[in-house]
Amino acid sequence: MRTNIHPVSRPVVFRDRAAGFQLLTRSTLDAQHTVVWEDGKTYPVVDVDISSASHPFYTGTSRVVDTAGRVERFERRYGRTAPVRP
């Protein structure tokens, strides 16, 4: 087996600033900034836009899209091109 071909895995904090959520896990990402974790140690931090704490699907704040209204509006604007099959 070849040596020194795999990236180094180390503890990294992923932070969702919108939700105030932080997660300490292992990753191969390099980070420019650091943060002091709950255990008092300093870890590199990666800021993410969306996490499970802020994603609409996981938080239950997702909206129901009115697809029937969109289809009717499309048909009014462009007309129906094919006959409807029963």
Side-chain angles (χ1 to χ4, degrees), residues 6-86:
H6 299 289
V8 176
S9 175
R10 59 187 147 292
V12 175
V13 174
F14 287 92
R15 177 173 56 189
D16 182 0
R17 289 188 172 202
F21 176 72
Q22 296 182 355
L23 174 70
L24 176 63
T25 186
R26 296 192 64 82
S27 178
T28 59
L29 289 176
D30 290 329
Q32 302 296 328
H33 303 286
T34 59
V35 66
V36 177
W37 189 246
E38 299 164 354
D39 61 1
K41 295 181 182 177
T42 303
Y43 296 103
V45 63
V46 176
D47 290 324
V48 294
D49 295 329
I50 296 177
S51 69
S52 62
S54 64
H55 193 279
F57 179 80
Y58 295 110
T59 59
T61 60
S62 61
R63 299 177 315 194
V64 176
V65 178
D66 180 21
T67 57
R70 289 183 179 194
V71 171
E72 291 169 0
R73 189 172 8 158
F74 178 83
E75 289 176 352
R76 277 196 314 267
R77 188 176 298 163
Y78 299 108
R80 184 172 291 226
T81 59
V84 177
R85 295 182 181 177

